[in-house]
Amino acid sequence: MSWFALYTRPKNEKKVTEQLTKLGIEVYCPLVTQVKQWSDRKKKVETPLITSYVFVNIEEAERNRVFDVHGVVRYLFWLGKPAIIRDEEIEALKNSLKGVMSSVEVGAIKPGDSINISTGPFQGKEGVVSQVGKNQIRLVLKELGVIITLTREQGE
């Protein structure tokens, strides 16, 4: 048996996991607990670590059974074949989530906040938020003497 990555409809990861489990298929959906803020309350919510993906451990001949579940879109492909995820990678993912992240605080970004850039061409630089829009954040990188605009892509 091999692990495969399944792409699901948005916000269907938990439902797909439940239905696949009922079919007797071993499935793994890594979840993290987040604290969600509403105007009147805070609530801890389990959300998928990797949105729109779940992992299934299934025989090659049985792969089409997953499409009996509403919300499954397709397998993730690599070089024209369904991508196989090694057991070690799934175990590493499970182990990395054990007790490490019991909750994540989600807060709003506001002008004046200092942000460390962790990826991309400005990785390792620190910027100060000068402007926040619906889908954009403008950062001042004093060290380089530039202003950059970060735009959220659709679907994030």
Side-chain angles (χ1 to χ4, degrees):
M1 290 188 6
S2 300
W3 285 98
F4 297 94
L6 272 182
Y7 183 72
T8 67
R9 294 178 64 169
K11 301 190 187 293
N12 275 239
E13 303 90 348
K14 289 184 191 177
K15 293 175 193 167
V16 166
T17 298
E18 184 180 310
Q19 294 300 313
L20 288 171
T21 302
K22 285 182 181 178
L23 288 177
I25 297 172
E26 184 180 358
V27 61
Y28 177 55
C29 179
L31 299 172
V32 293
T33 303
Q34 291 185 321
V35 177
K36 296 281 187 167
Q37 174 76 48
W38 282 270
S39 61
D40 61 337
R41 68 190 186 288
K42 286 184 181 181
K43 185 176 180 182
K44 287 185 179 180
V45 180
E46 278 195 325
T47 59
L49 178 66
I50 307 167
T51 56
S52 296
Y53 282 96
V54 297
F55 302 99
V56 293
N57 193 10
I58 194 166
E59 294 286 345
E60 181 74 31
E62 298 286 314
R63 279 191 319 105
N64 286 335
R65 286 185 56 210
V66 300
F67 295 110
D68 293 339
V69 173
H70 179 74
V72 172
V73 177
R74 62 179 168 80
Y75 281 99
L76 177 67
F77 278 73
W78 175 255
L79 300 175
K81 297 179 185 175
I84 296 175
I85 291 104
R86 296 188 328 249
D87 290 340
E88 305 86 55
E89 293 172 324
I90 296 294
E91 285 305 314
L93 186 57
K94 287 179 180 180
N95 290 336
S96 70
L97 292 176
K98 282 184 183 171
V100 173
M101 224 184 304
S102 60
S103 69
V104 176
E105 185 72 36
V106 179
I109 296 173
K110 56 191 177 305
D113 286 352
S114 186
I115 294 180
N116 289 315
I117 301 171
S118 58
T119 60
F122 298 104
Q123 182 175 353
K125 304 294 182 207
E126 186 174 307
V128 177
V129 177
S130 67
Q131 189 177 22
V132 179
K134 183 177 178 185
N135 292 315
Q136 290 184 341
I137 297 174
R138 185 162 287 164
L139 291 177
V140 177
L141 302 180
K142 292 179 184 174
E143 182 180 318
L144 299 177
V146 296
I147 296 173
I148 60 170
T149 302
L150 306 174
T151 305
R152 181 192 330 217
E153 292 181 23
Q154 296 297 348
E156 285 190 311

